[in-house]
Amino acid sequence: MSTGFLAFKEDGTVMTDMTVFISQTMGSVDTNGANGSATLPSLPPGKSRFYMIVALVDLNRERGKKPGVTISGNAMTWAYSYSTNGWGYFSANCRIFYGYY
């Protein structure tokens, strides 16, 4: 959904565009600290996908890492990647919210 203000010239061209797109969350998935994938619902026509990763543990205190996320069509995959040099790193349990705008 778009909301805002549009002003047009007499010839129909846009003179001022102060619209914004309001996002719509479609769902979420928990990673359980492991690589994985999910099938997402189809998008409404003309909409773009977004995702947001929220850690379910304290990343700073426990040295957890969030996964990288890839979306292609209706398929979402996530994978953890971090340096094995050193100690204390682990794949943090995260929740990935997804939706459209």
Side-chain angles (χ1 to χ4, degrees), residues 54-62 64-65 90-94:
V54 177
L56 300 177
V57 296
D58 183 348
L59 298 180
N60 291 326
R61 182 170 172 231
E62 300 179 31
K65 299 295 181 183
F90 71 98
S91 300
N93 186 20
C94 296

Side-chain angles (χ1 to χ4, degrees), residues 50-73:
F50 77 88
Y51 68 89
M52 178 177 57
I53 306 169
V54 177
L56 300 177
V57 296
D58 183 348
L59 298 180
N60 291 326
R61 182 170 172 231
E62 300 179 31
R63 301 179 65 94
K65 299 295 181 183
K66 293 180 184 179
V69 175
T70 302
I71 296 179
S72 179

Side-chain angles (χ1 to χ4, degrees), residues 4-78:
F5 172 77
L6 287 170
F8 298 90
K9 294 181 182 179
E10 286 184 19
D11 66 2
T13 59
V14 176
M15 192 169 80
T16 304
D17 183 347
M18 297 173 61
T19 57
V20 295
F21 289 100
I22 298 174
S23 64
Q24 175 67 47
T25 301
M26 297 177 84
S28 65
V29 61
D30 288 354
T31 66
N32 296 314
N35 298 341
S37 64
T39 300
L40 306 180
S42 296
L43 291 175
K47 299 297 181 181
S48 298
R49 251 190 231 288
F50 77 88
Y51 68 89
M52 178 177 57
I53 306 169
V54 177
L56 300 177
V57 296
D58 183 348
L59 298 180
N60 291 326
R61 182 170 172 231
E62 300 179 31
R63 301 179 65 94
K65 299 295 181 183
K66 293 180 184 179
V69 175
T70 302
I71 296 179
S72 179
N74 290 347
M76 178 173 68
T77 60
W78 60 90

Side-chain angles (χ1 to χ4, degrees), residues 73-95:
N74 290 347
M76 178 173 68
T77 60
W78 60 90
Y80 289 88
S81 175
Y82 44 87
S83 171
T84 56
N85 294 336
W87 58 274
Y89 294 110
F90 71 98
S91 300
N93 186 20
C94 296
R95 183 164 293 144

